[in-house]
Amino acid sequence: MSSTSVVESDYLKRWVGAPLTEALTEVALKRPADPIEYIALWLLRYKENEIRKAEEKANGERLAAEKKQLEEEERKRAELEEERKRIEEENAAKKAEIEKALAEQAKKTEATS
């Protein structure tokens, strides 16, 4: 067998081997009136299904990436909310300290008057 024949054989096995084998098996089982047309239509449906599978896979990958991005955004939003609450608590504590200090100062001022 020449190297060209081997390359051609490998090419055919790789790209049309499995689908053509499936189509021929189905023809043998169903014995349609026009086997050539049956094989042609079968291969066309096969190709359409392969395209749809590829699109579904791409959509699934895109959906997974979007879901991961959404989860990351939600995590960051939660972190920001926690930070906002912490700052509010710190500000409230500082305000209470200032009010307490002002009240003590007012008491001292009243006591000395």
Side-chain angles (χ1 to χ4, degrees):
M1 195 177 225
S2 71
S3 64
T4 304
S5 296
V6 171
V7 171
E8 290 171 356
S9 176
D10 289 343
Y11 171 81
L12 291 173
K13 284 179 188 176
R14 180 174 180 193
W15 295 106
V16 294
L20 193 55
T21 301
E22 289 179 44
L24 292 172
T25 301
E26 201 166 307
V27 165
L29 294 173
K30 293 187 176 182
R31 300 192 179 264
D34 187 349
I36 300 298
E37 180 181 16
Y38 188 91
I39 291 170
L41 293 174
W42 191 97
L43 290 172
L44 182 61
R45 280 193 317 271
Y46 177 88
K47 181 63 178 171
E48 290 168 351
N49 288 338
E50 289 297 305
I51 291 169
R52 190 179 70 249
K53 286 178 190 176
E55 289 171 350
E56 288 173 357
K57 181 180 178 186
N59 288 341
E61 290 170 354
R62 187 176 67 246
L63 181 62
E66 289 174 359
K67 183 178 179 182
K68 184 177 179 181
Q69 182 181 4
L70 178 62
E71 290 170 351
E72 180 65 18
E73 289 173 0
E74 288 175 352
R75 184 189 62 77
K76 286 180 181 179
R77 190 173 330 156
E79 288 175 359
L80 289 172
E81 181 62 21
E82 288 176 17
E83 180 71 9
R84 184 190 64 76
K85 287 179 182 178
R86 185 188 60 76
I87 291 171
E88 281 182 359
E89 289 171 359
E90 287 176 1
N91 288 341
K94 287 178 184 177
K95 182 179 177 183
E97 285 178 26
I98 292 170
E99 289 174 351
K100 182 180 176 183
L102 289 173
E104 288 175 3
Q105 184 67 31
K107 283 182 184 179
K108 286 181 184 178
T109 305
E110 286 178 15
T112 56
S113 314

